[in-house]
Amino acid sequence: MNKRILMLAGDFVEDYELMVPYQALVSVGFHVDVVCPGKKAGEQVATAIHDFVGFQTYAELRGHNFTLNKSFDNVKLEDYAGLYITGGRAPEYIRLDPKVLEYTKYFFEKNLPVAAICHGIQVLTAADVVRGKTLTCYVAVGPEVKLAGGNYKDIPATEAITDGNLTTSPAWPGHPAILKEFYKLLGVKIEL
């Protein structure tokens, strides 16, 4: 089994939606290359913490810095077993990079495992890979899924939906569910 995962991120990626899956995938033996368009290995992305604190939508607070471990322009797609697309504010602008869309389409063309969480689904809609698929995302991104031809499901934030090679969750409370599904897609078996 190929033990490399490509993870797409950018400035103001949601902190948990980068840190938790990165560390969880590393803990089960994967090498995870975290990349950002326009940045090189050793450079950092700023993270943000999204939480509901009494407003109609989430508030964004400054999180940590995350040091990228791979240069975006040095990605060789054939090196990877799967793709993980993080959430937060980053997907709204990284999806404007043609290479991000090319990278994303590759995993669907090869039917390789893909996980996307929260606003990360914006990368999927821009790449035109959700047509006919059932998926979820942060509720405010739901209309984009429908317009892109996907079957949007509004589910609790603690859950995930898997359709073929794609698993999605609405937000970081769904990490246990989306990671469990992503592990299955990758052929990972964890026994207690």
Side-chain angles (χ1 to χ4, degrees):
M1 172 178 48
N2 185 337
K3 294 200 173 203
R4 293 184 88 82
I5 303 295
L6 181 63
M7 186 174 279
L8 297 176
D11 282 322
F12 298 101
V13 57
E14 208 291 326
D15 191 273
Y16 290 159
E17 292 171 4
L18 170 63
M19 302 288 191
V20 172
Y22 173 79
Q23 292 172 341
L25 288 161
V26 168
S27 78
V28 296
F30 286 97
H31 177 88
V32 181
D33 286 333
V34 184
V35 299
C36 172
K39 294 197 180 195
K40 295 179 177 156
E43 294 182 317
Q44 296 183 326
V45 291
T47 73
I49 297 167
H50 292 173
D51 210 352
F52 287 89
V53 289
F55 302 112
Q56 290 180 319
T57 189
Y58 60 86
E60 183 174 85
L61 305 170
R62 183 68 166 85
H64 302 90
N65 288 329
F66 184 91
T67 302
L68 302 166
N69 60 2
K70 180 84 173 179
S71 297
F72 183 76
D73 290 330
N74 292 345
V75 167
K76 291 184 178 121
L77 295 172
E78 61 275 7
D79 291 345
Y80 298 100
L83 173 67
Y84 200 104
I85 305 173
T86 58
R89 196 161 12 117
E92 76 182 30
Y93 75 87
I94 69 169
R95 67 182 171 165
L96 301 175
D97 188 292
K99 273 190 142 176
V100 166
L101 303 182
E102 175 190 323
Y103 291 177
T104 302
K105 288 177 183 179
Y106 171 86
F107 288 89
F108 283 87
E109 288 164 2
K110 299 292 184 184
N111 200 35
L112 294 170
V114 176
I117 193 162
C118 200
H119 287 79
I121 283 74
Q122 291 179 305
V123 172
L124 301 178
T125 59
D128 194 24
V129 294
V130 301
R131 195 165 311 282
K133 292 219 175 252
T134 299
L135 64 151
T136 191
C137 54
Y138 180 62
V139 66
V141 181
E144 288 184 43
V145 170
K146 291 176 187 173
L147 288 169
N151 180 17
Y152 167 69
K153 294 290 183 190
D154 185 5
I155 64 172
T158 56
E159 296 179 14
I161 290 176
T162 300
D163 184 351
N165 70 318
L166 175 65
T167 188
T168 54
S169 185
W172 57 260
H175 280 138
I178 193 172
L179 285 164
K180 181 179 177 182
E181 291 299 311
F182 195 45
Y183 292 155
K184 285 182 196 171
L185 292 174
L186 290 164
V188 173
K189 293 183 177 141
I190 299 174
E191 296 182 23
L192 298 176

